[in-house]
Amino acid sequence: MSAVEQDAVIQATRRDVLKGGAVLTVAMWLPTGAVRANEADVSKAGTFVPNAFVRIDQDSTVTVLSKHVEMGQGSYTGLATIVAEELDADWNQIRVEGAPADAKLYNNFAFGPFQGTGGSTAIANSYDQLKQAGATARAMLVTAAANRWGVPANEITIASGVLQHKSGKSARFGELVADASKLPVPTDVKPKDPSAYNRIGKSAPRVDSRAKSTGKAIFTQDFKLPGMLTAVVAHPPRFGGKVKSFDASKAKQIKGVKAVVAFETPARAGVAVVATDFWSAKKGRDALSIEWDESNAFKQSSDEMLKEYRELTRQPGDIAKQEGDVEQAFASAARTFEATYEFPYLAHAAMEPMNCVVQIGQSSCEIWNGEQFQTADQMAVAKLLGISPKDVKINQLYAGGSFGRRANPLSDYVVETAAIAKAMGTTDPVKLVWTREDDMRAGFYRPMYVHWLKAGVDAQGKIIAWQHRIVGQSITRGTLFASQGKIDATSVEGAQNLPYQIPNLQVELHTTEPKVPVLWWRSVGSTHTAFATECFLDDIARETRQDPYQLRRALLAKHPRHLAVLDLVAEKSGWKKKRAADEIYGLALHESFNSVVGQVAKLKKTPNGPKLVSVVCAVDCGIAVNPNIVAMQMESGIGYGLSAALMGAVTLKEGRVEQGNFDDYPVLRINEMPAVETHIVPSKNKPTGVGEPGTPVIAPALANALAQIDGKPVRVLPLSAQGVKLA
Amino acid sequence: MITLDINGQKLQTDAEPDTPLLWVLRDHLGMTGSKFGCGKALCGACTVHIDGNATRSCVLPVAAVASSKITTIEAVGQSKVGKAVQDAWIAEDVPQCGYCQSGQIMSATALLATNSKPTDADIDAAMAGNVCRCATYVRIRAAIKRAAGTLTT
């Protein structure tokens, strides 16, 4: 049983967050002796806490402290697998707890001196760290046993959580906890070589399946404190709107309503009704009469914006990548091709609408949240309250999905909760609960983009030039994560690093700045660049009568990982075999978050239109720590990407978001989900991401299949907006 | 005061009669296994059994179910079918974020209680009202079939 369901959120002595400023430090990855339990107080009486990631109780329970949120991606299971491997623990003695917010102990190496989860980095950035943490704990247990038994340490083995010596002596971890706690923490322990792995690379069940199959897992939505009040908010109908005035008299007459307060944060303004429970607060919110100041509000429609974006694709953008000379190559090309691709705004629409619990104390603040961005949230709340970030304590809970939404550089919903609690002027804990409509209309979307591509081929059909122009908003501009210079890396990732060998290559970017809040959305830039590049490549293949698989193969000579994935997905899908007349296969390949994913979408023609029967997926993610989790993430990424491709779109009419719930923002349902089979390329390389890389590949794989039916390429998403529906 | 029959217990609530059953369960009675996802019976995260039928509790005024037998995720495992479904969910490692899974399990249990050998089409029909944004649908289908197998042997 996982610990988190019991809400065993640990108390930490927090230290200065980001002390040392914005310098990126990728040092200090294992807290050594001096750091131990007194630094991050993750200890409990009578336990052995060799470092900030492992705690062993007298009953032999091994608790792994996860610096990363569990939002579905399997981080708790994967991280625990690494520790269990080094300890040779039994899987049943492992539990996982969310670590406290402490950027010094728990920073994400991919982010620098910053704690947070994202970019499919949880396993990748923790792998060495947790190997070391587990190996150190193991060495201390072995030393304790060697001392007690009077035998050399190197004669002691561990299997399934039991230390053994050939003399017949044996002990469970718990029996050695007291002795091990007294030992100095060694700093020179060598973790296992991958050739000695017993557990990594083999599937183990998730640590959270039981809690999540019995209703016992505690999400923010479920968290309750004595005296806690619930806040339901009214947000401005347009982005950038402010509260001019409001009349709360009717709201205050509703039973259970305690207060009505206005708030303003860097993300938005609004009015909150705070009540004893959700339903009373919601009735109060619905009874508010608010006059909005829309003098600076965003009033454009997405249709108008699209026209402007299309216009921009005809003008040169800022250069993101330039190799050779595309203009010259086009002039000498036997044929050229052009295509424009359009992508709408997308909502994350996690199952759990955004929410947060905040309690403000005397110059301190405590937060309970499915917390994805600890360091940013500590700083934002500290700034609002005029306290030190270290006095913002964050308790980790399960997140009911996120897909990027809970990692917000503006800390929007977290700081909104704190602003409401502050406006209350009491120490009553406040839970902010957004309705589905609040969640969907609050912005922070995957940006709308338009891409224009042009390619030239020689007489043999070989691609000699490729020009790719991208128009859309930057996710990172104005945040801590902004790129240096004009080119936002997240807008061009997947295009700028096109793996295909083309001698003349140019990628350009127009960054637009409408006041629509945007954010990373599962697989970020690849959500659109993979589609544009992989569909355009198939267009060229179709027009030049080349096999899409062979065309890619010929361009990937310098990318062995891509080639291996491509070959594996071709082999497993039977790409080269003869297909039945009603079977159509579409292929796509893409690298994101240092993993390479290839997918073949298998369509079957039916009287009701094409049906997506199955998807064959191949992935190179380095060492697959837990292949079961890798497969789950490929299935999930395919479903999430497919949902957007088929029917996802947020549109604006005169600045108002037109969607609000699952009726007008439909999402994938079970009858629309294909079968999925996942194949993992064997690898000795360190683990890379799996949470996101499955997502961007399905849309182009599907589109490349659909284009073969009538020769018409898919260039606008979602498919539903084009009247395309699958059976 | 309204008296409710929940999971075989008589429980009283002073919630306003128009309060949806979901919020009575969650905020008044402390039973948080049933989840809030949409508030409009569109996603199924709030699914409970009313007299054995899978029902969306987010749009169901509590006053309407005062004379009904209500079962929630907290007690569904006490029935043979509910236990089989939960065991199958764990065996297939269905949950990812897990937020929708209480509702999925309630819908699947109601399906298997009346149809011990559902076809893929039966599963689609019974489960299409339950959204999973992690798209665990492949494993939901497998778990329902696994549970069906354990119940018929």
Side-chain angles (χ1 to χ4, degrees):
Chain A
M1 185 185 288
S2 146
V4 182
E5 67 189 80
Q6 294 155 1
D7 178 42
V9 179
I10 44 191
Q11 315 285 312
T13 306
R14 295 155 313 276
R15 300 173 308 155
D16 292 339
V17 175
L18 289 181
K19 197 193 262 177
V23 183
L24 294 184
T25 50
V26 187
M28 207 287 301
W29 47 268
L30 183 74
T32 50
V35 182
R36 257 154 100 151
N38 56 337
E39 288 275 348
D41 184 11
V42 295
S43 62
K44 285 180 178 172
T47 63
F48 167 46
V49 188
N51 51 61
F53 298 93
V54 181
R55 182 175 71 225
I56 304 178
D57 288 70
Q58 287 172 339
D59 69 357
S60 294
T61 300
V62 176
T63 301
V64 177
L65 282 303
S66 171
K67 66 181 185 180
H68 294 292
V69 66
E70 174 58 73
M71 50 191 170
Q73 84 282 40
S75 58
Y76 277 18
T77 304
L79 297 171
T81 302
I82 300 167
V83 173
E85 173 68 66
E86 292 293 340
L87 278 170
D88 278 313
D90 189 274
W91 192 236
N92 291 321
Q93 74 188 113
I94 298 283
R95 11 182 285 166
V96 184
E97 237 173 60
D102 184 334
K104 277 212 173 129
L105 287 179
Y106 297 116
N107 65 310
N108 182 332
F109 300 129
F111 297 171
F114 185 101
Q115 186 179 356
T117 306
S120 297
T121 57
I123 296 295
N125 97 98
S126 302
Y127 181 68
D128 286 336
Q129 182 175 46
L130 291 184
K131 277 175 65 67
Q132 196 67 40
T136 302
R138 176 198 183 101
M140 293 172 77
L141 291 171
V142 168
T143 302
N147 293 347
R148 184 183 293 179
W149 298 339
V151 302
N154 63 10
E155 291 181 3
I156 293 173
T157 58
I158 308 182
S160 297
V162 180
L163 292 92
Q164 288 167 317
H165 183 255
K166 59 189 172 185
S167 60
K169 292 191 162 66
S170 72
R172 286 169 52 84
F173 295 173
E175 299 167 50
L176 298 162
V177 155
D179 288 3
S181 298
K182 292 173 195 142
L183 296 171
V185 179
T187 56
D188 57 350
V189 178
K190 204 164 172 283
K192 282 187 185 180
D193 184 84
S195 61
Y197 285 166
N198 300 312
R199 182 172 295 286
I200 287 177
K202 292 185 189 144
S203 290
R206 288 180 68 116
V207 295
D208 50 355
S209 281
R210 180 168 295 279
K212 289 176 174 177
S213 299
T214 52
K216 289 179 181 159
I218 298 296
F219 299 85
T220 308
Q221 195 79 9
D222 309 324
F223 189 76
K224 194 163 189 177
L225 289 167
M228 188 182 80
L229 299 170
T230 298
V232 176
V233 290
H235 288 157
R238 291 182 171 91
F239 299 116
K242 305 279 183 201
V243 180
K244 190 184 246 173
S245 64
F246 67 95
D247 176 359
S249 54
K250 280 184 190 156
K252 284 179 175 169
Q253 284 166 21
I254 288 162
K255 190 183 151 195
V257 171
K258 297 287 183 189
V260 180
V261 296
F263 62 87
E264 193 166 330
T265 73
R268 68 178 74 77
V271 179
V273 176
V274 186
T276 50
D277 61 286
F278 171 83
W279 193 247
S280 304
K282 181 176 177 297
K283 282 202 282 187
R285 190 276 303 268
D286 293 346
L288 286 174
S289 173
I290 304 170
E291 194 182 347
W292 300 99
D293 170 6
E294 297 198 314
S295 51
N296 283 310
F298 184 74
K299 291 178 186 144
Q300 246 192 326
S301 297
S302 39
D303 280 351
E304 295 164 25
M305 295 166 68
L306 203 52
K307 281 182 197 153
E308 292 177 12
Y309 283 22
R310 287 178 190 140
E311 196 52 46
L312 278 170
T313 63
R314 296 183 192 108
Q315 300 166 23
D318 295 320
I319 299 289
K321 171 112 174 180
Q322 194 166 36
E323 282 175 5
D325 186 331
V326 286
E327 290 304 333
Q328 212 168 32
F330 288 143
S332 70
R335 288 178 73 186
T336 59
F337 306 94
E338 286 184 55
T340 303
Y341 297 91
E342 298 179 359
F343 306 91
Y345 285 111
L346 292 172
H348 300 77
M351 284 310 297
E352 182 183 19
M354 293 304 108
N355 48 20
C356 184
V357 177
V358 167
Q359 183 167 30
I360 298 174
Q362 301 281 348
S363 66
S364 69
C365 178
E366 190 161 359
I367 295 172
W368 292 263
N369 185 28
E371 178 63 47
Q372 199 179 345
F373 237 33
Q374 285 88 345
T375 305
D377 292 347
Q378 281 183 309
M379 292 196 296
V381 170
K383 190 175 175 192
L384 173 86
L385 300 178
I387 61 176
S388 167
K390 71 180 168 54
D391 293 321
V392 178
K393 179 181 170 178
I394 303 181
N395 303 282
Q396 182 64 275
L397 301 172
Y398 282 128
S402 168
F403 315 110
R405 184 62 182 86
R406 285 185 179 268
N408 189 320
L410 289 183
S411 302
D412 72 321
Y413 71 90
V414 174
V415 81
E416 182 165 309
T417 316
I420 294 164
K422 182 186 176 192
M424 293 284 291
T426 68
T427 56
D428 294 335
V430 173
K431 181 198 280 185
L432 171 71
V433 177
W434 281 2
T435 64
R436 174 59 57 194
E437 289 81 3
D438 298 333
D439 186 274
M440 196 161 287
R441 293 176 181 149
F444 296 103
Y445 305 123
R446 194 291 300 274
M448 187 170 87
Y449 286 97
V450 178
H451 291 224
W452 170 80
L453 288 96
K454 182 176 180 182
V457 299
D458 66 15
Q460 286 73 47
K462 185 170 178 279
I463 302 172
I464 56 168
W466 179 283
Q467 187 175 8
H468 190 164
R469 198 172 278 164
I470 299 171
V471 180
Q473 283 172 264
S474 163
I475 290 162
T476 58
R477 185 167 282 186
T479 76
L480 272 173
F481 292 82
S483 301
Q484 300 269 324
K486 281 184 174 174
I487 302 297
D488 168 27
T490 67
S491 297
V492 296
E493 63 184 0
Q496 176 264 339
N497 54 332
L498 192 76
Y500 304 114
Q501 204 176 339
I502 298 170
N504 301 286
L505 178 71
Q506 186 159 309
V507 180
E508 303 163 40
L509 176 67
H510 288 281
T511 295
T512 59
E513 294 193 309
K515 284 193 290 187
V516 180
V518 291
L519 191 62
W520 29 64
W521 184 103
R522 196 176 190 172
S523 82
V524 196
S526 293
T527 59
H528 48 102
T529 58
F531 189 85
T533 56
E534 287 297 288
C535 289
F536 192 49
L537 197 64
D538 253 49
D539 266 13
I540 297 167
R542 203 166 40 253
E543 291 291 331
T544 56
R545 298 176 184 279
Q546 300 183 68
D547 177 78
Y549 162 64
Q550 295 297 349
L551 174 65
R552 285 174 175 81
R553 273 207 113 244
L555 296 170
L556 287 169
K558 289 186 178 167
H559 289 274
R561 287 180 77 207
H562 289 70
L563 262 184
V565 170
L566 182 65
D567 285 345
L568 185 62
V569 79
E571 179 206 326
K572 297 293 183 184
S573 65
W575 181 269
K576 291 185 219 168
K577 291 184 187 152
K578 190 165 166 48
R579 290 161 214 169
D582 61 351
E583 274 188 319
I584 306 157
Y585 293 2
L587 170 69
L589 178 76
H590 190 74
E591 176 187 350
S592 59
F593 310 97
N594 301 316
S595 292
V596 182
V597 172
Q599 289 169 10
V600 169
K602 296 189 171 184
L603 290 184
K604 192 176 172 67
K605 287 185 195 165
T606 80
N608 301 320
K611 181 175 175 60
L612 178 58
V613 177
S614 64
V615 178
V616 179
C617 177
V619 55
D620 178 343
C621 56
I623 291 170
V625 169
N626 185 329
N628 183 41
I629 301 282
V630 175
M632 290 176 95
Q633 285 315 297
M634 292 304 118
E635 293 159 20
S636 177
I638 287 166
Y640 198 74
L642 185 59
S643 187
L646 292 178
M647 57 193 111
V650 167
T651 54
L652 304 176
K653 189 166 172 95
E654 292 168 0
R656 287 174 185 260
V657 176
E658 293 187 285
Q659 292 72 25
N661 212 316
F662 294 124
D663 47 359
D664 45 21
Y665 190 88
V667 294
L668 194 81
R669 292 173 185 267
I670 192 168
N671 54 306
E672 295 154 320
M673 181 76 190
V676 176
E677 58 177 85
T678 297
H679 303 276
I680 300 171
V681 176
S683 174
K684 291 186 169 128
N685 297 321
K686 285 185 180 176
T688 53
V690 298
E692 295 167 270
T695 310
V697 192
I698 182 61
L702 171 65
N704 288 341
L706 288 170
Q708 293 170 49
I709 294 178
D710 54 7
K712 277 193 218 154
V714 177
R715 289 182 175 159
V716 177
L717 291 181
L719 288 165
S720 60
Q722 306 302 300
V724 180
K725 204 171 179 309
L726 299 185
Chain B
M1 280 298 203
I2 300 171
T3 303
L4 297 167
D5 180 345
I6 302 177
N7 299 332
Q9 283 190 295
K10 299 280 183 202
L11 296 172
Q12 289 201 317
T13 177
D14 61 356
E16 293 290 295
D18 69 336
T19 309
L21 173 63
L22 174 68
W23 294 106
V24 174
L25 293 171
R26 294 183 53 82
D27 282 356
H28 295 263
L29 301 174
M31 299 163 76
T32 56
S34 309
K35 298 295 191 257
F36 168 62
C38 70
K40 285 186 171 176
L42 297 167
C43 80
C46 65
T47 305
V48 299
H49 293 173
I50 306 292
D51 299 325
N53 299 313
T55 307
R56 316 297 179 214
S57 65
C58 71
V59 291
L60 190 63
V62 64
V65 289
S67 56
S68 307
K69 278 181 78 74
I70 300 161
T71 306
T72 70
I73 185 69
E74 281 83 2
V76 76
Q78 289 168 17
S79 76
K80 190 177 167 210
V81 177
K83 174 77 165 52
V85 170
Q86 287 180 320
D87 288 347
W89 241 248
I90 294 163
E92 294 287 344
D93 259 336
V94 174
Q96 293 193 21
C97 91
Y99 194 80
C100 73
Q101 298 298 347
S102 295
Q104 303 278 2
I105 286 168
M106 296 309 286
S107 289
T109 302
L111 166 66
L112 288 174
T114 55
N115 180 350
S116 59
K117 278 190 183 170
T119 62
D120 280 330
D122 294 336
I123 292 172
D124 284 350
M127 303 301 295
N130 288 80
V131 168
C132 174
R133 288 291 284 149
C134 302
T136 60
Y137 301 125
V138 171
R139 288 169 192 249
I140 287 173
R141 191 181 298 281
I144 291 173
K145 290 181 176 176
R146 177 189 281 261
T150 62
L151 286 165
T152 50
T153 52

